[in-house]
Amino acid sequence: MSKYAPKKNQLTREFLEKPSPLKGDYADREWWEMPVEFRDGNWCHSAKPEVLKEIGFANPRKWAAPDEDWQLPEGWEKTIHDGLKERLKKFRSLKLYLDACVRCGACADKCHFFLGTGDPKNMPVIRAELLRSVYRNDFPMVEKILKGFSGSRKLTKEVIKEWHMYFYQCTECRRCSVFCPLGIDTAEITMVARELLNLIGVNNNWILAPVANCNRTGNHLGIEPHTFVQNIESLVDDIEDLTGVKVNPTFNRKGAEVLFITPSGDVFGDPGVYTMMGYMLLFEHIGLDYTISTYASEGGNFGLFTTNDMMKKLNAKMYHEAERLKVKWMLGGECGHMWRVVHQYMNTMNGPADFLEEPVSPVTGTKFTNARATKMVHIAEFTADLIHNGKLKLDPRRNDHLRTTFHDSCNVARGMGMFEEPRYILNSVCNSFNEMPEDTIRERTFCCGSGSGINAEEFMEMRMRGGFPRANAVRSVRKSHRVNSLVTICAIDRATLPSLMRYWNPGVTVYGLHELVGNALVMQGEKKRTEDLRENPMAGTEEGDDAE
């Protein structure tokens, strides 16, 4: 485990001994009197100067959060003030969220970081107050008149440090917004606060390096086109070795019916590559006419965690490539923030895509009317429709070595309301599926604790704290149903949940949904399958027990 993650008993002891609002024994200091403490495990490396220069961001320099002097640019106070003023005019929702909060506390105990740390500044209401208190001091006239009663404060270097710490202890998961009686979306406040910090060069390399890579090569990992193709061709060889079936992806082919786009982690990272193998087996099974772009080689969008303009720029590559390749519509893989951007922002940012057609399944004839605007269909919708119409030959016994539960990814669940399709697929491809407690799934799902670009290794202590509520829910079904497999439809989750499970629930392995689809598919011309896509022994393949 990472050197930045303390021992579990150390975290437990600290939680039991340290005063906390969760236990009702918090110290008598007000929240704004608490100093910011940067220590190993609770801060991310700042963006490298060359990264900032590459994407044209402000104040490139070498600095670190524990430094006394952050080398802020001259006039940084005015930069922040003007930036906030501009965004208050541009985003009506921001002003509404800053003005409307009545501090009822309905959100207070809903944040996974507050539950994992007990730090009152991780209550969503207080996290928003970090920005709201400066807004009150600088903007509304009535607040200036009633300054002593308004909770306003001046913008200082200590406030900037506080913003940097706590707005990067928010994964923009929006769980708090589900419980807010006024519908305040603290995630949007976090997004604006991060934009403001970027204006003065206060940032996170784990976010901006992928942004720079995507800006340069089309994907977060900085993979060049030839390497991208080689990685996929290597997976093609692995599929043939395991199944005896040769799948045939194409690249940059004009005139294909579908452009398939998935996160680059599915092409390069473990365990995402097994999900990619599942996609390709599925497409071969149904004879889908698809192509993969080596330019739009990334479905994810770290611009969502950076600035609105960067999110728009990175997202545009998908539309540009769909138009260049003259496809009919787009199909997207398993990812969280990819789908929040597509579902909530894409049509207004980069659309309308009048050059594409309303998506229709070439196999079932189903019209995906919910994708009429974006022209992009989620892979879970697509596969669920195939199963519903009896177009897939599946043997769920091949996944009998897995006792599964399902993690609703925040941005897919809360961001686009997709709850039932992945469960329908999971119940079709495996025989053991067990739900976690009701208040931890679907719309109320807990975050992985590492989303929104804070899945850096040096941030491991906070990741384990923030992920504790999810891990605790997994623990409950592990105890009651002997669950050993956590399935999800998000590339970030597949990258971050393995560490969380190893820390809190050793023995629970993380899978992508379409990896299990790939295991269960009975392919034409396949050899007898004895191993799953990870080369682990596959259930249901004993002698005399062949798939029907």
Side-chain angles (χ1 to χ4, degrees):
M1 194 63 192
S2 169
K3 66 178 182 179
Y4 296 104
K7 300 292 185 183
K8 281 193 291 187
N9 58 3
Q10 181 182 337
L11 279 188
T12 303
R13 183 171 61 252
E14 180 183 328
F15 186 83
L16 292 174
E17 296 175 358
K18 188 176 180 179
S20 165
L22 285 167
K23 298 184 293 180
D25 60 356
Y26 196 66
D28 56 3
R29 288 183 297 175
E30 298 289 354
W31 66 264
W32 58 80
E33 297 175 317
M34 298 172 53
V36 173
E37 178 192 358
F38 290 102
R39 64 180 189 278
D40 285 350
N42 82 343
W43 58 278
C44 294
H45 296 320
S46 57
K48 297 177 181 178
E50 57 269 27
V51 168
L52 295 180
K53 290 176 182 177
E54 184 174 339
I55 56 178
F57 274 33
N59 199 19
R61 75 227 182 268
K62 290 185 178 180
W63 67 284
D67 294 347
E68 182 65 27
D69 181 7
W70 283 15
Q71 305 172 55
L72 301 181
E74 185 176 350
W76 65 267
E77 299 97 328
K78 185 176 187 305
T79 300
I80 294 289
H81 181 279
D82 291 346
L84 181 54
K85 185 177 181 180
E86 176 188 344
R87 284 156 182 78
L88 286 166
K89 287 184 178 180
K90 186 176 182 181
F91 305 117
R92 288 179 293 176
S93 58
L94 174 62
K95 192 173 191 310
L96 176 65
Y97 296 153
L98 291 177
D99 287 339
C101 179
V102 295
R103 301 166 193 79
C104 67
C107 66
D109 61 346
K110 306 307 186 294
C111 175
H112 48 282
F113 272 111
F114 176 58
L115 294 174
T117 65
D119 188 333
K121 292 183 185 177
N122 273 323
M123 295 179 183
V125 60
I126 300 299
R127 185 182 289 111
E129 202 72 10
L130 301 178
L131 180 61
R132 188 180 288 116
S133 58
V134 173
Y135 161 70
R136 285 200 205 96
N137 187 75
D138 290 344
F139 290 94
M141 183 60 65
V142 67
E143 299 293 0
K144 290 186 176 182
I145 296 172
L146 301 174
K147 202 166 192 175
F149 305 96
S150 69
S152 63
R153 58 181 184 161
K154 291 183 178 180
L155 181 63
T156 65
K157 291 180 180 179
E158 286 305 310
V159 169
I160 293 299
K161 291 184 177 184
E162 193 175 57
W163 285 8
H164 183 54
M165 170 168 277
Y166 291 101
F167 287 118
Y168 285 98
Q169 286 182 35
C170 170
T171 53
E172 303 176 14
C173 82
R174 303 166 74 237
R175 188 172 193 264
C176 53
S177 67
V178 173
F179 297 89
C180 177
L182 300 176
I184 294 172
D185 188 348
T186 305
E188 291 213 1
I189 296 176
T190 292
M191 290 163 69
V192 168
R194 290 188 181 186
E195 281 202 35
L196 296 176
L197 290 172
N198 273 306
L199 294 176
I200 59 174
V202 176
N203 41 48
N204 173 341
N205 195 66
W206 195 253
I207 295 174
L208 293 188
V211 165
N213 286 337
C214 198
N215 188 60
R216 185 179 67 256
T217 69
N219 59 74
H220 291 158
L221 300 176
I223 304 171
E224 299 291 346
H226 63 282
T227 306
F228 184 78
V229 172
Q230 288 169 1
N231 286 347
I232 293 178
E233 289 179 340
S234 176
L235 297 179
V236 168
D237 292 339
D238 291 341
I239 289 172
E240 187 171 15
D241 289 342
L242 285 166
T243 69
V245 175
K246 181 77 170 180
V247 299
N248 297 283
T250 66
F251 302 93
N252 306 317
R253 177 168 59 89
K254 290 187 177 181
E257 182 161 4
V258 173
L259 172 62
F260 178 63
I261 303 175
T262 197
S264 56
D266 289 353
V267 177
F268 201 70
D270 186 345
V273 290
Y274 305 115
T275 302
M276 185 70 187
M277 293 165 72
Y279 298 147
M280 290 193 286
L281 280 167
L282 173 67
F283 299 157
E284 188 70 22
H285 188 80
I286 61 175
L288 184 67
D289 178 20
Y290 75 104
T291 195
I292 299 171
S293 168
T294 58
Y295 165 66
S297 53
E298 177 65 67
N301 191 331
F302 272 34
L304 176 64
F305 317 136
T306 309
T307 71
N308 185 69
D309 288 342
M310 184 58 72
M311 173 172 55
K312 178 178 180 178
K313 180 181 182 182
L314 297 183
N315 197 64
K317 68 184 183 299
M318 297 197 292
Y319 272 166
H320 292 325
E321 194 67 341
E323 184 173 20
R324 185 182 75 85
L325 295 176
K326 301 185 186 321
V327 299
K328 292 182 179 179
W329 52 279
M330 293 180 285
L331 179 64
E334 297 179 11
C335 185
H337 59 281
M338 167 185 178
W339 282 101
R340 184 175 177 197
V341 174
V342 170
H343 189 71
Q344 295 188 335
Y345 303 113
M346 183 160 162
N347 192 50
T348 52
M349 284 193 312
N350 305 114
D354 296 334
F355 51 87
L356 294 174
E357 299 178 9
E358 179 180 348
V360 177
S361 172
V363 182
T364 67
T366 298
K367 287 186 177 182
F368 296 100
T369 55
N370 61 313
R372 184 184 294 121
T374 63
K375 309 298 194 298
M376 193 167 192
V377 176
H378 193 289
I379 187 70
E381 298 175 90
F382 183 71
T383 303
D385 174 65
L386 291 169
I387 295 172
H388 177 71
N389 285 283
K391 299 301 183 180
L392 301 185
K393 188 174 183 181
L394 300 166
D395 183 3
R397 295 175 301 169
R398 292 177 171 182
N399 285 313
D400 278 353
H401 55 306
L402 309 178
R403 301 184 63 84
T404 69
T405 191
F406 183 70
H407 166 67
D408 288 280
S409 302
C410 301
N411 286 314
V412 180
R414 279 187 288 271
M416 64 183 299
M418 181 175 288
F419 306 121
E420 302 309 323
E421 292 90 339
R423 288 174 168 82
Y424 179 72
I425 296 169
L426 195 50
N427 275 307
S428 300
V429 301
C430 72
N431 291 316
S432 176
F433 169 56
N434 307 276
E435 289 279 19
M436 285 181 270
E438 185 177 355
D439 62 346
T440 72
I441 59 174
R442 292 186 169 87
E443 192 174 35
R444 298 186 175 195
T445 185
F446 275 115
C447 181
C448 67
S450 303
S452 80
I454 57 175
N455 51 318
E457 197 266 345
E458 69 269 15
F459 200 61
M460 194 61 75
E461 177 184 338
M462 299 311 298
R463 289 172 55 186
M464 297 304 100
R465 289 179 178 274
F468 173 72
R470 170 45 76 222
N472 195 45
V474 174
R475 179 176 178 269
S476 70
V477 287
R478 189 180 181 210
K479 289 181 65 176
S480 60
H481 298 289
R482 295 182 293 116
V483 161
N484 61 13
S485 306
L486 178 59
V487 182
T488 185
I489 53 173
C490 174
I492 292 291
D493 288 332
R494 291 196 299 272
T496 62
L497 286 171
S499 297
L500 188 72
M501 291 302 105
R502 285 194 294 270
Y503 190 81
W504 292 113
N505 291 307
V508 176
T509 305
V510 178
Y511 294 83
L513 178 62
H514 279 77
E515 177 182 348
L516 272 61
V517 172
N519 287 343
L521 278 170
V522 180
M523 304 292 295
Q524 184 175 3
E526 69 176 18
K527 67 182 183 182
K528 182 177 177 60
R529 294 178 65 180
T530 59
E531 296 177 327
D532 66 14
L533 295 180
R534 301 192 186 198
E535 301 183 36
N536 293 325
M538 179 185 279
T541 59
E542 295 81 3
E543 288 296 327
D545 192 28
D546 291 337
E548 297 177 0

